[in-house]
């Protein structure tokens, strides 16, 4: 079960991963970012992800930093990291200085990326199905619903929350896996860790320990239950 959820999380947190060098034909015909609906973004990236991975798994498995670079190149433009990190910090965002919020956003994103990147190497074309959108597209926020087909045939529901940026393009800021929000889950863990060690120490831990700092938060959260 944990393996399945880890894979689903990898797909979810890299919903907008692609490698331009491996998917030039797709990119050439894709609408400009600010002309795409959120559903088009998710569907297009699902296709691009398969193109990026197919034929390169062994290479990317040997070179994790190259896999991370692929994520950075294409994931960042479509994900509102600053807004997501403020939501994760919750009330502590008001207590943090602008510099601390910036450091947290960068360190948290890097930690999450390194933690789940290798899970993407198991992804194959067609595993993500974007469900039909019903209703009117809100001009500021919306949710794209998808299903991910796991290796054993089971389906995992993954929803992507999008908001429109000031520049007019849509950016994801939260993913909800089987009803569990990425933002809410980590907000609770971050809140507990800040109460324990303080916001500056938490940021330092993320900067110096990366995914190990996330493992510590997970363990502390489970121990507290």
């Amino acid at each position: 079960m944990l393996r399945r959820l880890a894979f689903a999380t990898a797909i979810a947190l890299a919903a907008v991963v692609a490698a331009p060098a491996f998917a030039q034909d797709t990119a050439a015909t894709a609408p400009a970012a600010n002309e795409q609906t959120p559903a088009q973004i998710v569907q297009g990236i699902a296709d691009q992800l398969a193109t990026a991975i197919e034929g390169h798994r062994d290479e990317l498995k040997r070179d994790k930093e190259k896999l991370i670079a692929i994520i950075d190149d294409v994931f960042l433009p479509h994900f509102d990291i600053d807004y997501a990190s403020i939501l994760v910090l919750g009330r502590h965002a008001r207590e943090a200085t602008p510099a601390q919020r910036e450091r947290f956003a960068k360190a948290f994103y890097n930690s999450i990326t390194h933690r789940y990147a290798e899970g993407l190497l198991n992804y194959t074309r067609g595993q993500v199905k974007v469900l039909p959108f019903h209703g009117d597209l809100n001009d500021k926020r919306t949710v794209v619903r998808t299903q991910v087909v796991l290796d054993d045939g089971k389906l995992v529901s993954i929803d992507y929350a999008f908001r429109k940026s000031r520049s007019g393009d849509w950016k994801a800021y939260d993913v909800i896996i089987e009803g569990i929000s990425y933002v809410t889950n980590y907000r609770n863990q971050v809140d507990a860790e800040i109460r324990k060690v303080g916001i500056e120490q938490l940021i330092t831990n993320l900067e110096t320990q990366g995914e190990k700092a996330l493992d510590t938060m997970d363990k502390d959260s489970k121990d507290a239950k």
Side-chain angles (χ1 to χ4, degrees):
M1 182 63 178
L2 290 177
R3 179 179 170 276
R4 292 199 209 106
L5 289 178
F7 172 65
T9 302
I11 296 298
L13 296 183
V16 284
V17 173
F22 302 151
Q24 291 176 355
D25 292 341
T26 302
T29 58
N34 60 1
E35 296 177 359
Q36 291 181 309
T37 66
Q40 288 173 328
I41 292 173
V42 175
Q43 183 62 66
I45 298 307
D47 295 337
Q48 291 172 353
L49 175 59
T51 303
I53 298 299
E54 289 172 1
H56 302 278
R57 283 187 175 82
D58 290 342
E59 175 189 2
L60 295 174
K61 188 173 184 178
R62 292 192 301 269
D63 191 346
K64 186 174 182 179
E65 290 308 310
K66 188 168 185 177
L67 179 59
I68 296 297
I70 290 174
I71 296 174
D72 287 344
D73 285 344
V74 185
F75 180 49
L76 287 176
H78 296 279
F79 196 89
D80 196 335
I81 291 176
D82 292 335
Y83 182 67
S85 67
I86 288 175
L87 294 180
V88 170
L89 282 173
R91 66 182 184 84
H92 299 290
R94 295 191 298 271
E95 305 166 3
T97 66
Q100 286 178 321
R101 289 195 294 269
E102 182 178 351
R103 288 171 56 211
F104 175 80
K106 181 178 179 180
F108 186 70
Y109 167 76
N110 286 339
S111 300
I112 289 288
T113 303
H114 279 78
R115 188 180 204 185
Y116 294 111
E118 290 186 8
L120 293 174
L121 297 179
N122 296 319
Y123 177 71
T124 57
R125 192 178 299 276
Q127 283 185 293
V128 175
K129 178 183 179 181
V130 179
L131 302 180
F133 178 79
H134 298 290
D136 297 327
L137 182 65
N138 187 294
D139 63 352
K140 296 193 182 295
R141 294 175 189 265
T142 192
V143 173
V144 177
R145 291 179 167 80
T146 74
Q147 289 180 333
V148 172
V149 183
L150 303 180
D151 292 342
D152 58 8
K154 291 186 177 180
L155 299 177
V156 174
S157 297
I158 300 179
D159 300 338
Y160 302 93
F162 278 80
R163 69 193 291 259
K164 185 169 284 189
S165 69
R166 291 182 179 179
S167 61
D169 54 337
W170 288 98
K171 292 191 177 185
Y173 66 89
D174 193 11
V175 290
I176 302 94
I177 305 174
E178 293 291 294
I180 300 175
S181 162
Y182 146 86
V183 164
T184 301
N185 179 62
Y186 278 108
R187 179 193 293 150
N188 294 335
Q189 293 188 17
V190 165
D191 176 64
E193 198 68 12
I194 289 176
R195 290 172 181 270
K196 179 181 175 182
V197 303
I199 189 168
E200 180 62 30
Q201 187 60 53
L202 168 62
I203 295 171
T204 299
N205 290 345
L206 288 170
E207 290 174 332
T208 59
Q209 300 174 23
E211 57 189 298
K212 291 183 179 179
L214 297 180
D215 292 338
T216 297
M217 287 196 296
D218 280 349
K219 182 178 183 302
D220 290 346
S221 177
K222 292 174 183 176
D223 290 344
K225 293 181 180 180

